[in-house]
Amino acid sequence: MGKKGKRSNSQNAAAMLESQTRPILELTYDDPLFAFAAHPTKPLLASGLATGYVYMQSYDDKALEDYSSAQREKEKLLLKEAAAKKVAAKDSDKTPLRFKVFNPQSQNDNDTDTTFKICWKTKRHKGSVRSVIFDSTGENLYTAGTDKVIKKANSETGKVVMKTGNLDINSNITKMITVPNKPFLVAGTETGDIHVFDTRTLKQLYKLDKVHGDSVNSIASMYGVSDYQFVSVGSTTLAHFDIRKGIITTSENQEDELLSVSFVDPTNCETAVVGMGEGVISRIKISRDNSVDAVISTLDDDASDCIWTGSSDGIVRKVDTKRGAVIETRMHNLNDEIGFLDLDYDYRLISAGMENLKIWSNREQDEDEDENENESDWSSDEEEVNEVSEDDKSDSGSDSENGSESESASESEDSEVSDAESEPESNSKRGPTVVDSEEEEPTPKPKQKKPKINPKQFKNSQLHEHGIRKFDDL
């Protein structure tokens, strides 16, 4: 996690842009949540805890959406009744619960609410779980812990089908990602190394030493250009590397910690955005002294230049990278840093910190919502947002079984990995650009979601005019 500044007027300014979109589900955890991942094709969530436990959880998204919508209507009626009686709605004991809240660690078989359930849970690692990731189909789940072991499990049953032996890893794994078109599992470590494993055998294929001088904080695949190329951030640098050839280029020292990286459009990888410790994403100041710990593409053609960011102040922001402006905020939890962002199978935003996780609605909200909606934060603490000062108005716009391991006895090795396929070099040497904050009105585009995995559909001829080539400056 990056640093967290005290709650400032920049948080108050965020209330100006606060979205009417609500969560449909909140999960709270007794133990710190260290990692989570959303299934690519089903309403499933995998969570990894500090205790080494892994939970697979399912949710009925349609029923949760309907519940939230019904509660919204009840609340609007309550507000009207309160206004007629000239009393504060929040003083009424009839205020409906806005969305459902569950604690996976306290769920049991006697729970009758079917909108959320535990599929399986297990003590997967001896130390804490550091990374959790599905493969592109969602059939398998990969987890890594401080025991320096990577395990591959069946997502449906939780049964371990394969695990690594004694790895040539001298530090803990911090981040893992998979690649849509190749059997690659790419892992970064606390010492700045990159390891690449074959997902079919969990044998190590490649190793890149000291890609960063410190911990690898985030990795993004460049499958839109080449399945062998990636960018990563760690310490104060960004690196562009090919797992077969090594580091292609490294940015200059940015004099600020780089915590997260993502592509605005993962299918062409022309523009990368980087979250920094001082509240900046690639020159765009979005929060004063609150680190940007997570960034992710919206994967939406209707907001093709936009990304989601999660900060240590507990606020999710939607940023238009072309205009260099925050256009929407969502209050996750002002007492919990946002360390993780993901999209579920139906493109709902998921935000999470160490204490809780929220799945946000993807339904269109009414534009004529009552102004009283913005009285308080949507998180359970209901902390009020103060009025915005004139100075900050300008700042915000510019700137299987419980307690036992369900492993299979089989640890036989699959066939040896074939030699890496040769890749055409015409596009592989052109690295991504990093977004600039120059303001320009975006061109309207049709409202159509981007597929989560759309490999090899390049747009190499349409170079982003606001990028900064070769990472000369972030």
Side-chain angles (χ1 to χ4, degrees):
M1 293 286 181
K3 72 176 184 178
K4 180 177 183 179
K6 64 182 179 180
R7 187 180 176 202
S8 66
N9 285 331
S10 64
Q11 291 176 328
N12 301 333
M16 296 168 55
L17 304 169
E18 189 171 336
S19 171
Q20 295 300 317
T21 301
R22 290 184 177 181
I24 60 171
L25 175 66
E26 177 179 0
L27 302 182
T28 62
Y29 296 87
D30 298 326
D31 299 308
L33 176 67
F34 273 13
F36 91 91
H39 194 283
T41 61
K42 299 178 182 178
L44 294 173
L45 288 173
S47 300
L49 305 184
T51 56
Y53 272 85
V54 173
Y55 285 72
M56 184 65 70
Q57 303 134 130
S58 69
Y59 55 97
D60 187 337
D61 53 321
K62 304 299 189 299
L64 290 169
E65 289 275 13
D66 291 342
Y67 176 86
S68 180
S69 297
Q71 296 301 94
R72 195 180 190 92
E73 292 303 315
K74 289 181 181 179
E75 187 176 25
K76 289 168 65 177
L77 179 60
L78 179 64
L79 289 170
K80 290 181 180 179
E81 293 176 349
K85 297 178 181 179
K86 298 183 179 180
V87 298
K90 63 182 180 181
D91 295 334
S92 172
D93 57 2
K94 299 179 181 179
T95 303
L97 181 66
R98 293 177 167 187
F99 47 85
K100 292 193 176 183
V101 180
F102 296 94
N103 184 333
Q105 294 183 266
S106 63
Q107 292 289 106
N108 56 61
D109 295 336
N110 297 324
D111 293 324
T112 58
D113 194 330
T114 59
T115 56
F116 175 80
K117 68 178 182 178
I118 305 297
C119 302
W120 54 263
K121 62 180 178 180
T122 184
K123 183 73 163 62
R124 184 111 297 171
H125 294 278
K126 293 181 181 179
S128 61
V129 180
R130 289 303 182 89
S131 189
V132 174
I133 189 71
F134 287 96
D135 61 17
S136 58
T137 65
E139 180 180 355
N140 299 297
L141 179 74
Y142 301 88
T143 62
T146 53
D147 52 10
K148 298 180 178 62
V149 176
I150 298 174
K151 294 184 178 181
K152 175 182 179 179
N154 180 277
S155 297
E156 182 177 352
T157 65
K159 185 177 182 180
V160 172
V161 297
M162 194 175 298
K163 65 179 180 179
T164 55
N166 296 323
L167 294 178
D168 180 22
I169 295 180
N170 56 11
S171 64
N172 293 322
I173 290 174
T174 57
K175 180 72 175 179
M176 294 193 302
I177 66 169
T178 55
V179 180
N181 310 308
K182 297 289 183 183
F184 296 154
L185 178 66
V186 182
T189 70
E190 290 180 348
T191 53
D193 302 328
I194 297 289
H195 300 260
V196 184
F197 303 90
D198 187 327
T199 57
R200 299 166 296 186
T201 63
L202 287 187
K203 286 188 174 182
Q204 184 165 295
L205 301 176
Y206 307 97
K207 180 184 178 183
L208 282 69
D209 295 321
K210 298 297 180 182
V211 176
H212 298 284
D214 202 344
S215 174
V216 177
N217 293 327
S218 184
I219 310 171
S221 170
M222 295 182 64
Y223 68 86
V225 173
S226 168
D227 293 315
Y228 297 90
Q229 293 189 31
F230 302 81
V231 294
S232 61
V233 292
S235 187
T236 59
T237 60
L238 179 146
H240 171 206
F241 61 90
D242 187 305
I243 58 176
R244 303 162 299 176
K245 303 173 184 179
I247 299 174
I248 298 174
T249 185
T250 302
S251 73
E252 296 293 331
N253 187 326
Q254 300 303 305
E255 299 181 355
D256 188 12
E257 186 176 9
L258 308 188
L259 301 170
S260 50
V261 63
S262 178
F263 290 101
V264 175
D265 183 354
T267 63
N268 62 31
C269 305
E270 291 171 358
T271 305
V273 290
V274 177
M276 301 184 180
E278 296 293 339
V280 174
I281 57 162
S282 304
R283 298 182 178 178
I284 306 170
K285 186 75 172 179
I286 66 169
S287 178
R288 181 180 299 170
D289 298 328
N290 289 286
S291 59
V292 183
D293 297 316
V295 293
I296 189 172
S297 170
T298 61
L299 292 182
D300 190 347
D301 272 340
D302 192 37
S304 59
D305 293 305
C306 293
I307 59 165
W308 292 109
T309 71
S311 302
S312 59
D313 56 5
I315 299 176
V316 178
R317 294 172 175 85
K318 188 177 185 179
V319 182
D320 187 321
T321 61
K322 194 170 185 179
R323 294 167 52 198
V326 176
I327 60 175
E328 179 185 343
T329 66
R330 298 182 183 183
M331 302 296 182
H332 170 81
N333 187 338
L334 296 181
N335 295 317
D336 191 16
E337 304 178 20
I338 301 174
F340 322 100
L341 294 175
D342 202 353
L343 300 176
D344 81 349
Y345 81 105
D346 201 24
Y347 301 94
R348 295 179 183 87
L349 176 68
I350 307 175
S351 58
M354 286 191 180
E355 298 176 2
N356 68 340
L357 177 152
K358 289 183 177 180
I359 304 177
W360 297 81
S361 173
N362 63 357
R363 290 184 180 176
E364 294 292 332
Q365 304 296 333
D366 294 337
E367 295 182 358
D368 58 346
E369 292 294 340
D370 194 292
E371 292 182 359
N372 289 326
E373 291 276 346
N374 289 326
E375 279 188 355
S376 61
D377 170 31
W378 288 325
S379 60
S380 58
D381 59 9
E382 293 293 327
E383 181 174 356
E384 292 186 359
V385 178
N386 298 326
E387 292 184 0
V388 185
S389 67
E390 291 300 323
D391 292 339
D392 289 307
K393 288 182 180 180
S394 59
D395 179 66
S396 66
S398 62
D399 299 353
S400 60
E401 305 283 328
N402 186 9
S404 63
E405 175 66 39
S406 56
E407 299 187 14
S408 73
S410 170
E411 292 186 16
S412 61
E413 298 178 351
D414 291 348
S415 59
E416 293 295 326
V417 182
S418 60
D419 293 335
E421 301 175 13
S422 60
E423 188 82 0
E425 297 296 326
S426 59
N427 294 323
S428 63
K429 292 185 179 180
R430 183 175 61 81
T433 61
V434 182
V435 70
D436 188 63
S437 60
E438 180 180 349
E439 293 193 3
E440 181 175 330
E441 289 299 322
T443 302
K445 296 185 178 181
K447 295 184 178 182
Q448 181 180 358
K449 300 282 187 178
K450 288 183 184 296
K452 266 191 173 180
I453 297 174
N454 190 12
K456 300 299 183 183
Q457 293 186 358
F458 307 145
K459 299 178 182 177
N460 294 334
S461 60
Q462 301 174 1
L463 300 179
H464 199 292
E465 60 187 79
H466 299 288
I468 305 163
R469 307 201 181 285
K470 298 183 181 178
F471 315 121
D472 292 332
D473 188 0
L474 295 177

